[in-house]
Amino acid sequence: MNLSRNFTLQELIKSDTAVRLGVDNNPNANQIEKLKLLCENILQPVRDHFGPVMITSGFRTPELCLKIDSSITSQHCKAEAVDFECMGKDNAEVADWIYKNLDFDQMILEFYVPGEPNSGWVHCSYVSEKPRKQFLRAFKEDGKTKYKPIIGKAVDLV
Ligand SMILES: [Zn+2]
């Protein structure tokens, strides 16, 4: 089943962990509709601009979130968020392009190390009502994950 021109439902729900642990990771009809909006409004425009996109995590059932120590209030559980990278592209450059061109809800440049274009990944969410356009970076400090707003461009981070 295709959600947009270049993205299938399978790519958005695939989880090796779910398979390994025997956890159900199938979305309901309403969640599939939201994944479609996520593809049409975020992933497809990114694909059209940057080329092939590798999705590392899309939809997660609350059960899967519990197994992987992810919050069950995460937008991944609401079928609103996806983690991805674009092959051979700097994650900061991809994030800056999304910030400038798309109506996302929240974008997090996760564990990106300035000067290492392939480090980390981009987390991006979409909601049809009142997107926040919140742009953050996530990093580890003293073993804890911390978040900070990105002011200006991600490619200028030091
Ligand atoms: Zn994520």
PDB file of all heavy atoms in Angstrom, residues 56-58 60 70 74-76 81-84 108 110 121-125, ligand 1:
ATOM      1  N   THR A  56      14.142   5.390   9.581  1.00  0.00           N
ATOM      2  CA  THR A  56      14.633   4.510  10.643  1.00  0.00           C
ATOM      3  C   THR A  56      13.527   4.150  11.631  1.00  0.00           C
ATOM      4  O   THR A  56      13.571   3.082  12.236  1.00  0.00           O
ATOM      5  CB  THR A  56      15.842   5.116  11.380  1.00  0.00           C
ATOM      6  OG1 THR A  56      15.549   6.475  11.694  1.00  0.00           O
ATOM      7  CG2 THR A  56      17.079   5.085  10.489  1.00  0.00           C
ATOM      8  N   SER A  57      12.549   5.034  11.788  1.00  0.00           N
ATOM      9  CA  SER A  57      11.415   4.709  12.653  1.00  0.00           C
ATOM     10  C   SER A  57      10.241   5.617  12.331  1.00  0.00           C
ATOM     11  O   SER A  57      10.381   6.831  12.259  1.00  0.00           O
ATOM     12  CB  SER A  57      11.810   4.868  14.127  1.00  0.00           C
ATOM     13  OG  SER A  57      10.745   4.468  14.955  1.00  0.00           O
ATOM     14  N   GLY A  58       9.074   5.014  12.137  1.00  0.00           N
ATOM     15  CA  GLY A  58       7.871   5.799  11.881  1.00  0.00           C
ATOM     16  C   GLY A  58       6.873   5.545  12.990  1.00  0.00           C
ATOM     17  O   GLY A  58       7.106   5.903  14.140  1.00  0.00           O
ATOM     18  N   ARG A  60       4.810   3.801  15.924  1.00  0.00           N
ATOM     19  CA  ARG A  60       5.061   2.840  17.007  1.00  0.00           C
ATOM     20  C   ARG A  60       3.797   2.715  17.841  1.00  0.00           C
ATOM     21  O   ARG A  60       3.263   3.738  18.292  1.00  0.00           O
ATOM     22  CB  ARG A  60       6.162   3.336  17.959  1.00  0.00           C
ATOM     23  CG  ARG A  60       7.515   3.520  17.322  1.00  0.00           C
ATOM     24  CD  ARG A  60       8.454   4.201  18.321  1.00  0.00           C
ATOM     25  NE  ARG A  60       9.623   4.727  17.643  1.00  0.00           N
ATOM     26  CZ  ARG A  60      10.381   5.706  18.119  1.00  0.00           C
ATOM     27  NH1 ARG A  60      10.094   6.271  19.278  1.00  0.00           N
ATOM     28  NH2 ARG A  60      11.423   6.124  17.451  1.00  0.00           N
ATOM     29  N   SER A  70      10.769   4.211  24.868  1.00  0.00           N
ATOM     30  CA  SER A  70      10.391   5.476  24.247  1.00  0.00           C
ATOM     31  C   SER A  70       9.092   5.890  24.948  1.00  0.00           C
ATOM     32  O   SER A  70       8.359   5.046  25.450  1.00  0.00           O
ATOM     33  CB  SER A  70      10.175   5.247  22.752  1.00  0.00           C
ATOM     34  OG  SER A  70       9.453   6.315  22.177  1.00  0.00           O
ATOM     35  N   SER A  74       4.888  10.013  22.897  1.00  0.00           N
ATOM     36  CA  SER A  74       5.635  10.430  21.705  1.00  0.00           C
ATOM     37  C   SER A  74       4.714  10.551  20.490  1.00  0.00           C
ATOM     38  O   SER A  74       3.749   9.807  20.352  1.00  0.00           O
ATOM     39  CB  SER A  74       6.726   9.387  21.435  1.00  0.00           C
ATOM     40  OG  SER A  74       7.005   9.298  20.061  1.00  0.00           O
ATOM     41  N   GLN A  75       5.037  11.474  19.604  1.00  0.00           N
ATOM     42  CA  GLN A  75       4.225  11.632  18.390  1.00  0.00           C
ATOM     43  C   GLN A  75       4.359  10.421  17.458  1.00  0.00           C
ATOM     44  O   GLN A  75       3.533  10.246  16.577  1.00  0.00           O
ATOM     45  CB  GLN A  75       4.584  12.937  17.668  1.00  0.00           C
ATOM     46  CG  GLN A  75       4.001  14.163  18.382  1.00  0.00           C
ATOM     47  CD  GLN A  75       4.228  15.456  17.616  1.00  0.00           C
ATOM     48  OE1 GLN A  75       5.365  15.862  17.414  1.00  0.00           O
ATOM     49  NE2 GLN A  75       3.159  16.095  17.180  1.00  0.00           N
ATOM     50  N   HIS A  76       5.387   9.582  17.680  1.00  0.00           N
ATOM     51  CA  HIS A  76       5.471   8.340  16.898  1.00  0.00           C
ATOM     52  C   HIS A  76       4.241   7.463  17.166  1.00  0.00           C
ATOM     53  O   HIS A  76       3.742   6.789  16.282  1.00  0.00           O
ATOM     54  CB  HIS A  76       6.728   7.553  17.276  1.00  0.00           C
ATOM     55  CG  HIS A  76       8.007   8.141  16.734  1.00  0.00           C
ATOM     56  ND1 HIS A  76       8.404   7.957  15.427  1.00  0.00           N
ATOM     57  CD2 HIS A  76       8.956   8.908  17.316  1.00  0.00           C
ATOM     58  CE1 HIS A  76       9.566   8.584  15.240  1.00  0.00           C
ATOM     59  NE2 HIS A  76       9.921   9.171  16.361  1.00  0.00           N
ATOM     60  N   ALA A  81       4.841  11.281  13.644  1.00  0.00           N
ATOM     61  CA  ALA A  81       6.277  11.573  13.555  1.00  0.00           C
ATOM     62  C   ALA A  81       7.060  10.462  12.875  1.00  0.00           C
ATOM     63  O   ALA A  81       6.672   9.292  12.899  1.00  0.00           O
ATOM     64  CB  ALA A  81       6.847  11.814  14.951  1.00  0.00           C
ATOM     65  N   VAL A  82       8.180  10.871  12.293  1.00  0.00           N
ATOM     66  CA  VAL A  82       9.055   9.912  11.615  1.00  0.00           C
ATOM     67  C   VAL A  82      10.519  10.313  11.824  1.00  0.00           C
ATOM     68  O   VAL A  82      10.839  11.498  11.934  1.00  0.00           O
ATOM     69  CB  VAL A  82       8.690   9.847  10.104  1.00  0.00           C
ATOM     70  CG1 VAL A  82       8.866  11.208   9.422  1.00  0.00           C
ATOM     71  CG2 VAL A  82       9.480   8.773   9.373  1.00  0.00           C
ATOM     72  N   ASP A  83      11.389   9.321  11.931  1.00  0.00           N
ATOM     73  CA  ASP A  83      12.836   9.537  12.005  1.00  0.00           C
ATOM     74  C   ASP A  83      13.437   9.087  10.676  1.00  0.00           C
ATOM     75  O   ASP A  83      13.103   7.996  10.198  1.00  0.00           O
ATOM     76  CB  ASP A  83      13.474   8.679  13.104  1.00  0.00           C
ATOM     77  CG  ASP A  83      12.979   9.021  14.499  1.00  0.00           C
ATOM     78  OD1 ASP A  83      12.469  10.140  14.687  1.00  0.00           O
ATOM     79  OD2 ASP A  83      13.116   8.157  15.383  1.00  0.00           O
ATOM     80  N   PHE A  84      14.325   9.883  10.122  1.00  0.00           N
ATOM     81  CA  PHE A  84      14.883   9.526   8.818  1.00  0.00           C
ATOM     82  C   PHE A  84      16.197  10.232   8.540  1.00  0.00           C
ATOM     83  O   PHE A  84      16.593  11.150   9.254  1.00  0.00           O
ATOM     84  CB  PHE A  84      13.878   9.862   7.701  1.00  0.00           C
ATOM     85  CG  PHE A  84      13.586  11.333   7.585  1.00  0.00           C
ATOM     86  CD1 PHE A  84      14.303  12.144   6.710  1.00  0.00           C
ATOM     87  CD2 PHE A  84      12.607  11.918   8.372  1.00  0.00           C
ATOM     88  CE1 PHE A  84      14.048  13.505   6.618  1.00  0.00           C
ATOM     89  CE2 PHE A  84      12.347  13.281   8.290  1.00  0.00           C
ATOM     90  CZ  PHE A  84      13.064  14.067   7.409  1.00  0.00           C
ATOM     91  N   ILE A 108      13.233  17.719  15.310  1.00  0.00           N
ATOM     92  CA  ILE A 108      14.370  17.589  16.226  1.00  0.00           C
ATOM     93  C   ILE A 108      15.552  17.018  15.456  1.00  0.00           C
ATOM     94  O   ILE A 108      15.456  15.945  14.853  1.00  0.00           O
ATOM     95  CB  ILE A 108      14.049  16.657  17.419  1.00  0.00           C
ATOM     96  CG1 ILE A 108      12.737  17.063  18.100  1.00  0.00           C
ATOM     97  CG2 ILE A 108      15.207  16.685  18.428  1.00  0.00           C
ATOM     98  CD1 ILE A 108      12.264  16.090  19.178  1.00  0.00           C
ATOM     99  N   GLU A 110      18.445  15.103  15.883  1.00  0.00           N
ATOM    100  CA  GLU A 110      18.794  14.228  16.996  1.00  0.00           C
ATOM    101  C   GLU A 110      20.252  13.775  16.952  1.00  0.00           C
ATOM    102  O   GLU A 110      20.684  13.180  15.970  1.00  0.00           O
ATOM    103  CB  GLU A 110      17.895  12.983  16.978  1.00  0.00           C
ATOM    104  CG  GLU A 110      16.418  13.334  16.965  1.00  0.00           C
ATOM    105  CD  GLU A 110      15.624  12.639  18.043  1.00  0.00           C
ATOM    106  OE1 GLU A 110      16.160  12.413  19.138  1.00  0.00           O
ATOM    107  OE2 GLU A 110      14.453  12.335  17.779  1.00  0.00           O
ATOM    108  N   TRP A 121      20.184  11.922  13.163  1.00  0.00           N
ATOM    109  CA  TRP A 121      19.089  11.784  12.200  1.00  0.00           C
ATOM    110  C   TRP A 121      18.104  12.926  12.424  1.00  0.00           C
ATOM    111  O   TRP A 121      18.254  13.705  13.374  1.00  0.00           O
ATOM    112  CB  TRP A 121      18.397  10.428  12.351  1.00  0.00           C
ATOM    113  CG  TRP A 121      17.723  10.197  13.664  1.00  0.00           C
ATOM    114  CD1 TRP A 121      16.425  10.515  13.990  1.00  0.00           C
ATOM    115  CD2 TRP A 121      18.298   9.628  14.850  1.00  0.00           C
ATOM    116  NE1 TRP A 121      16.173  10.172  15.303  1.00  0.00           N
ATOM    117  CE2 TRP A 121      17.295   9.625  15.845  1.00  0.00           C
ATOM    118  CE3 TRP A 121      19.559   9.121  15.174  1.00  0.00           C
ATOM    119  CZ2 TRP A 121      17.515   9.142  17.141  1.00  0.00           C
ATOM    120  CZ3 TRP A 121      19.780   8.642  16.461  1.00  0.00           C
ATOM    121  CH2 TRP A 121      18.772   8.639  17.423  1.00  0.00           C
ATOM    122  N   VAL A 122      17.116  13.015  11.555  1.00  0.00           N
ATOM    123  CA  VAL A 122      16.086  14.047  11.669  1.00  0.00           C
ATOM    124  C   VAL A 122      14.789  13.389  12.153  1.00  0.00           C
ATOM    125  O   VAL A 122      14.359  12.380  11.610  1.00  0.00           O
ATOM    126  CB  VAL A 122      15.829  14.732  10.302  1.00  0.00           C
ATOM    127  CG1 VAL A 122      14.693  15.754  10.426  1.00  0.00           C
ATOM    128  CG2 VAL A 122      17.094  15.397   9.784  1.00  0.00           C
ATOM    129  N   HIS A 123      14.198  13.956  13.210  1.00  0.00           N
ATOM    130  CA  HIS A 123      12.866  13.561  13.666  1.00  0.00           C
ATOM    131  C   HIS A 123      11.947  14.690  13.238  1.00  0.00           C
ATOM    132  O   HIS A 123      12.231  15.858  13.515  1.00  0.00           O
ATOM    133  CB  HIS A 123      12.878  13.412  15.200  1.00  0.00           C
ATOM    134  CG  HIS A 123      11.519  13.415  15.843  1.00  0.00           C
ATOM    135  ND1 HIS A 123      10.946  12.285  16.388  1.00  0.00           N
ATOM    136  CD2 HIS A 123      10.623  14.413  16.034  1.00  0.00           C
ATOM    137  CE1 HIS A 123       9.759  12.588  16.894  1.00  0.00           C
ATOM    138  NE2 HIS A 123       9.535  13.884  16.685  1.00  0.00           N
ATOM    139  N   CYS A 124      10.845  14.366  12.568  1.00  0.00           N
ATOM    140  CA  CYS A 124       9.937  15.432  12.146  1.00  0.00           C
ATOM    141  C   CYS A 124       8.495  14.972  12.285  1.00  0.00           C
ATOM    142  O   CYS A 124       8.161  13.840  11.951  1.00  0.00           O
ATOM    143  CB  CYS A 124      10.233  15.829  10.689  1.00  0.00           C
ATOM    144  SG  CYS A 124       9.397  17.356  10.199  1.00  0.00           S
ATOM    145  N   SER A 125       7.642  15.865  12.807  1.00  0.00           N
ATOM    146  CA  SER A 125       6.230  15.518  12.958  1.00  0.00           C
ATOM    147  C   SER A 125       5.360  16.486  12.167  1.00  0.00           C
ATOM    148  O   SER A 125       5.758  17.600  11.852  1.00  0.00           O
ATOM    149  CB  SER A 125       5.822  15.524  14.432  1.00  0.00           C
ATOM    150  OG  SER A 125       5.820  16.842  14.945  1.00  0.00           O
TER     151      SER A 125
HETATM  152 ZN    ZN B   1      11.612  10.333  16.497  1.00  0.00          ZN
END
